[in-house]
Structure formats: C-alpha cells, structure tokens
Amino acid sequence: MIAFAALLERLAFTPGRNAKIALLRRYFATTPDPDRGIGLAALTGELAFATAKPALIRELAAARTDPVLFGWSYDYVGDLAETVALMWPAAATSAAPPRLAEVVATLGGAARGDLPGIVAGWLDASDAPVRLALLKLITGGLRVGISARLAKVALAGLAAGRIEADAIEEVWHGLAPPYEALFAWIEGRGPRPDPEDAPVFRPPMLAHPLEPEDFATLDPALLHAEWKWDGIRVQLVATAGGRRLYSRGADDISAAFPEIIEAMAFRGVLDGELLVMRDGAVAPFADLQQRLNRKTVSARMLRDFPAGVRLYDLLFDGAEDLRPQPFAARRARLEAWYARVCPPRMDLSEIIDFASLDELAALRAGARAASIEGLMLKRRDAPYVPGRPRGLWWKWKRAPLTIDAVLMYAQRGHGKRSSFYSDYTFGLWRDDVLVPVGKAYSGFTDAELVWLDRWVRNHTTARFGPVREVEKSLVLEVAFDAAQLSARHKSGVALRFPRIARLRTDKPAAEADRLESLLRLVGRVSAVAG
Amino acid sequence: MTPPHPRTWLKVTPAGLWCEPGDFHIDPLRPVARAVVTHAHSDHARPGHEAVLASPATLALMRTRMGEGAGRTRQPLGWGERLRLGAVDVWLEPAGHVLGAAQVAMEYAGSRAVVSGDYKRRADPTCAGFVPIPCDVFVTEATFALPVFRHPPADAEIARLLASVLLFPERTHLVGCYSLGKCQRLIALLRAAGWDRPIWLHGAHVALCAAYEALGVPLGDLRPATAAAKADLAGAIVLAPPAAAGERWARRLADPVVCAASGWMRVRGRARQGGVELPLVISDHADWDELVATLREVAAPEVWVTHGREEALIHEAAKYGIAGHALRLLGYGEEDEAAA
C-alpha cells in the first residue's frame, strides 16, 4: 500500500500528462506482482468497492478520537477520509502496513461485522498517506483522474519499445486483475495473452485536421466525404464473450447506454458516433452530455434522451478482421451488413456526393445544424490504421463562430506555463455588467502569450490564490465550434472548444458583444437543427 | 508570602506582552523603549526599538534583515545567562525554531513565566534544540494546534524530493520556502541526505544564507539562480520564496516541478491553493503531538496560548488538568502563514 499511496499522493498534485506517465511507469516498474496489478485496476476504475460506507469511517473516528477535536478538524480539512487519515492516533503496533493485494483480498471475503476491526487494524499499522489511500479505496472514492489510456501508455513504457500502447489495448478487455500475464508479456517474460472471444477494444483510426496546404494534394476522385457529427466517437463490440460499448479512449460505457447494448444482437466490431437522436434528428451535444459519465441510467433518462449510433465503419464482421481492407471495400461490407442485420437504434453515416472540392466547400459552408461539426474526408484506398496516420483521413471542421468578449480573470497555467497567466475567463455584456461565458487557454501564439501575461500582471485589480481579476478593458476575439444552452452556466450558455482567435487591442471593451447576441446565435442554430 | 501570579506582572498591552516589574516588552508589535526578542522572523522582530535584548544569533539576523532598524542599542544574551532587569531575572533558552530562536524565561518574586516564542521539538542541524523549562505559566504558540497536523519525519520528506529529482532529471525542482530558517534547514537536510551538488538560490535567500554561514552553520555550495545557465538548472534544486514560482523570475527554470516546504502542506486543500506539484511537509513549528507533549513536560499549571488554534489546544490541555487561556495578541502569525 505504501507505494500505491505515494503514487496517489503525487498524481493528485501532478497536472502534466508526461509527468503522470513517468510516475505511473515508475510505480509499475518497481512494485511487485500482484500489488501493481491491483493498483492498475484501482487506477483504471476496474476495482469498484463500496464495501465501507462513510458511516463506518465516522464510527471508527468516533471510537478513537475526541469528538470536539474531530469536529474542529473536519471543519478545517473539509473531507471526511482525509480528516480521519490525518488525525488517526498513533498506536503501539509492530504490524506493517497492509499490502494492496491483501487489502483487496481481505475485503472480498470479510463479513460485514468484521470490517470495522479489520480497517482499524490497518489504520493503526499505517501512516497518514497510506491511511488516506486505504480509506478512499474502501469507500470507492479514489477519483484519481487517470484515464485507462494513460495507464496503458505508461505500461507500454515498460516494454522498451517492443509493445505499443495500442497492442495492449487489443488485449486489455480480455484480462482481469492482477494482470500478471500482461506484465509478463510487457516485460518480455511471457507470451502475448490471448483474448480469445473476449469483447476487446480496438484502437481507433483518427483524422488530421485539414490544413490549407493539404488542398493541393487532394484528389476528389480518391475521396469519400461524410458529415462529422458532434457526439462521441464509439466502438461497438459484440462477440461470443459479450457486448461492449467503448468510448474512443477505451472506457467501457456500456452501463450508461443499455439500449445500445440491447440493440447489438450481432457479432462484429463497428465504429460510429454516439448521438442523442429523436426520430432520426440529431440533438445537440448538450443532450448527449446528460447521458455521459453515469454508472446507471433511469427510465426517464432513456425516454427523454434516447441514444443511437450513426455507423461509420465495420472493423470485424463476425470474426473476420476487415481492417486491412480499403475503406471502399469496408463501406460496401458495412452497407451489406446493415441491410442484412437491420440493427435497431443505428443508421448509416451518409456518403456525400461531390464532384469537386469547391462543391464540398460550399456544402460545408451551408451546413448550419449545431450537431454537424464539419466534414470527414477519407481515402477510398485507406486501410483502417490505429492511431493518427498521415494522409489518409482528414477532418474539415466548419468555420468557427466568433464573439468579441472581454477578459475578466486570468489563472496561471501548469508546468512550462506555471509562470504565465495562460487560462483566460472572458465575458459578454448583459445590460452594463459582464457575465462570464467561458474559459480559453489556447489559440494564441507564444508571443501573444507573453504579451497577455504582461498585460494581466499590469492590469490586476484583485487576486484570489492563483487567479487574478483584471481591469475589464481588453477585448479578445474568441472562436468556438458551437454554442448550446446550459443550465449549469451562469450565463445560460456553454461554448464548445473556445479558443483565443485574436487580441482586439483596437476595440474598446464597451463595444464587445452582448450576451443577447450569443443567445440569439444559439437560438437560431438550434432552430435549424431541430 | 505566596509568589504573585504571573497575570499580575505579565500583561497584554497594545504594544504586546509587557513585563511590568522589568519594564520590557517581549516581541513587541510597535516600537518600544526595551524589547526582548525571541527570534528574527518579521512578525516577532520588528524595527525601531530603543534597546533590544536577544540571543547573539537573533541580533545578527536582525541586523541582516533590517540594518539600522534592528535597535539603537543591542544587547546579546547567551543561553542560560541570567540578567536582572528591574525586579525581574531574565534568561534565554533555545526554542529550536530557527537559528537564534529563544524562549524568554522570567522570574519575579518566586514566580516564573516562560514565553516560548515559536518552537519545534525535532532535531534541526541549523539551530540549538528546545530546552523545556519548568514554570508557573507557559506561553505557547499554537500554529499547528489541530490533531490533523502531525509532521512526518523531515528526512523522509527530503527523500521524496530527491526521488522526484531522480524521476524528472530534466526538470528543475523549485522549492518554495521561507528565507529565514526553513531555507537553511532544507539545505542542511539535503546535505545530510548526500546532496552535494550546488543548490541554487533566489536573490531573496542569498543574504540570510550568508548570515547563517557567518554564524557557523555550513551550507555547502550555494549559487544565485540568476547566474545559472539554463542547462545548469535541469535536474537542479532551486530554493525561492513561495510566490516566486508564479513570477517572471521562474522562466529561467527548466519546466519546474513546483514544490513547497511547510507544515500546511499536510492538508491537501492548502497545498492545492498554492498550485504546488510536490508538497513537502517540513515545518519549523511543533506539531499537535509535540505541542501537547511540551505542555505536559514543562508542567506549568497554566498555559497562555498565542497565535494559532487556541481553542483546540486549550481543550486538550484541560484533559491534563492544565488551565489554558487564549492570549489575544494581534499581529503574530503573519509571517508564519508562508513560513510554517
């Protein structure tokens, strides 16, 4: 548990992706089996405990601590598990802190009545970081913020270049904790684990943004075009071993979309876009968001936000791997498969007819539905290649919308940007007050960042920890892909992918856009989509 | 005749704690005729007093920090040397907080009070260790007087820092720490852990490190970070005031891992507020267990509790039959928020 607790402690404070990978790699390289595999499962959310309820922790604390001091301490710290971890009194014990595998095995077999004694014994034998990790683990509150993908990238780091993260992906969902066969394979001590019939995830093929310089190289005769829908990219896997719905990042989201799982009465692997669809019309992304990140889903949710999948590609038909075949052949197979299987809640992504790139550009410019992000261009002869290969697939996003907003707050970045104010909260006018409408931390050049940072420092009016409030006088042109009504935002509207397009030092703040104009834009766009 | 209770001769005034029969203030908050100063942190040692009595090291550090403001006349007093001021015997014993930090012991007509100033009980190679003095009234600090504050061993925290340097050899480890005391203790701990490479300093830390060395505390190879080539700072340890990480000064560093060394780092929420990537729980104050143990050790029937969380310590003291009172002295603890 010591190494695992130390890892959690560092991850909790480490914002950088590369730094997280380095920390994970060190943990996997230096922790023995089976603890590291259990740790991997805990990090990727494969281990879900709710053995101990917060009430158990309260009881233990009440038995061992002064209630008055506990109350003051809890007020100060603000988190139950952390308060107990920090104030748990030292006990005279020679016991070593439990190993992670021991904790998991013991919890699995423990009778409910024995639990308080077992946990108290562990807490006695541990120091504060281990106690915190233990309490978070057994109450199911780890929340490390590590994607499964990141863990696999770190695991691949142990293989010294012999095995890619994508290869781990293809066996991952056929494996179970403590993953000893996986570690043996990665470390060159054993064969590749055979997933057999398990419904494993296949790393998806991704597109590059279409840059102006790409145009000269494109031959319309070699290309397929499809709409790019604003949902989430998913993979549907149905084998003799089961049915799964995976996100693009290999997260198993089956439980949140039971209607899709139910509709998967076939054997194969498909690539598509998960959308909320009502009578074939695609709802805005905000509707889909209601369904995401849920462990279970209510009947009401299923009724009000019905999910469907727009199919892009067929990777496996039964057990037959179609990925080496060219896109045109796979598309033909997909159409034949769809006609044969007729899966409910699914439709085919439309292939757009076009004769020239100019015609395509006109179609792209004419698409106003909020649920369309732009176009996808795919080479007819391209096999399905995991990752982001060059020169095969392009995404040609719709020209962004823009608003002129006023900079309100700035926050320091992390890592290389830790001495720069690089996260900007901007707002629009409602009557004569500015209402924050979004946050952007990209889009500017390095030179603009230096300029912005200096401007923030010279125009600060108040400080709140790492955040500075600034004079409301700098106008930023903010580009974004779509705007949606949102009850969660103070302004009532949420922007998709906002970024700083230009610094409008020429424009007085009073002439920045008004919130009404953004709301009108949302209304108009939704109306078209509906 | 029973000795007079300290409350009759040691009083809270707007200028701070005043010993009436000796006519001196302890760590006064505003300029006074005669000040006894426990240690050189700016919330305890303020400029502009007529006469200052303190340990030799405290006087030297005050000179470094405030030059002429360190007092018109400055009288050093060695550990344990008794001095008669008015009708009061005064002497100093180490408080273990930073170099020169003293407890002020006072005896008047058979009644004894001790003002601890800030103190810690852990070993610190840069200063003399705390000496408990039995007394009738013990005046204690309470910076970390909540049972959630239990400092881990400092060498284990240094080991975490060095393990991180090993894991991220291309990055600079920037350790935010207070310039007087914490900075030099960290250096001494790093040296004890075998780190013999140069340690780079922010300008704010240079003068006090030189003062420590002049007072006989060796700190090894120290260099100003402003003089470093960018390549020197990859894999290096740089010490700076906590706020420096957000300043333009920090751009010379190689993708810094921002660390902070303070007792407050024990609580995640506090560490998060500062944008710290590697919190190190290293404090120059007594933790909860040490505060409570110290009260029991000095065996004073009564304690007066200054800055911090008085109510928790008073609550705990009552369990041991010790009467606690909160001493409302505004102004202390300001420097400690960053330094502790």
Side-chain angles (χ1 to χ4, degrees), chain A residues 91-98 102 121-127:
Chain A
T93 172
S94 57
E102 177 193 340
W122 285 337
L123 294 177
D124 281 341
S126 304
D127 66 2

Side-chain angles (χ1 to χ4, degrees), chain B residues 286-301:
Chain B
D287 69 8
W288 170 257
D289 291 331
E290 292 156 355
L291 287 168
V292 175
T294 303
L295 299 193
R296 301 186 68 187
E297 208 170 338
V298 301

Side-chain angles (χ1 to χ4, degrees), chain A residues 318-470:
Chain A
E320 186 190 356
D321 188 351
L322 304 181
R323 292 177 296 173
Q325 299 194 17
F327 178 78
R330 291 201 311 278
R331 175 72 196 192
R333 290 285 297 263
L334 175 66
E335 289 175 8
W337 177 90
Y338 185 78
R340 185 176 80 235
V341 177
C342 299
R345 296 187 175 277
M346 295 174 208
D347 61 16
L348 286 181
S349 164
E350 175 196 357
I351 295 285
I352 299 168
D353 283 330
F354 67 100
S356 68
L357 289 174
D358 287 344
E359 193 185 333
L360 206 53
L363 279 168
R364 166 178 170 270
R368 291 275 29 128
S371 48
I372 289 180
E373 275 194 304
L375 288 166
M376 287 292 303
L377 304 182
K378 300 176 178 175
R379 279 187 63 119
R380 301 169 65 91
D381 58 354
Y384 193 93
V385 186
R388 211 183 287 276
R390 291 219 155 264
L392 299 180
W393 283 13
W394 297 268
K395 51 186 173 189
W396 193 11
K397 285 203 177 185
R398 216 161 60 182
L401 302 162
T402 63
I403 44 168
D404 287 339
V406 181
L407 179 62
M408 299 180 69
Y409 304 94
Q411 184 170 358
R412 284 207 306 272
H414 288 290
K416 288 187 174 67
R417 282 185 177 180
S418 58
S419 65
F420 287 94
Y421 284 87
S422 60
D423 295 12
Y424 309 106
T425 300
F426 48 85
L428 298 177
W429 294 107
R430 178 164 63 199
D431 302 324
D432 55 353
V433 239
L434 280 170
V435 182
V437 294
K439 222 177 156 186
Y441 37 85
S442 64
F444 38 75
T445 63
D446 287 351
E448 284 172 327
L449 174 60
V450 170
W451 188 93
L452 278 163
D453 175 77
R454 193 180 325 121
W455 192 93
V456 167
R457 289 169 193 276
N458 293 338
H459 296 81
T460 300
T461 57
R463 294 177 183 220
F464 314 93
V467 177
R468 289 186 184 215
E469 181 170 9
V470 296

Side-chain angles (χ1 to χ4, degrees), chain A residues 25-40:
Chain A
R25 195 175 52 222
R26 179 177 64 176
Y27 172 76
F28 295 134
T30 55
T31 307
D33 288 323
D35 293 298
R36 58 178 171 175
I38 303 287
L40 173 59

Side-chain angles (χ1 to χ4, degrees), chain A residues 10 66 82 419 453 457, chain B residues 164 246 251 268 270 315 319:
Chain A
R10 286 282 331 238
D66 176 322
E82 189 181 353
S419 65
D453 175 77
R457 289 169 193 276
Chain B
S164 184
R251 288 180 200 164
R268 282 187 168 193
R270 287 295 294 254
H315 173 87
K319 295 179 191 168

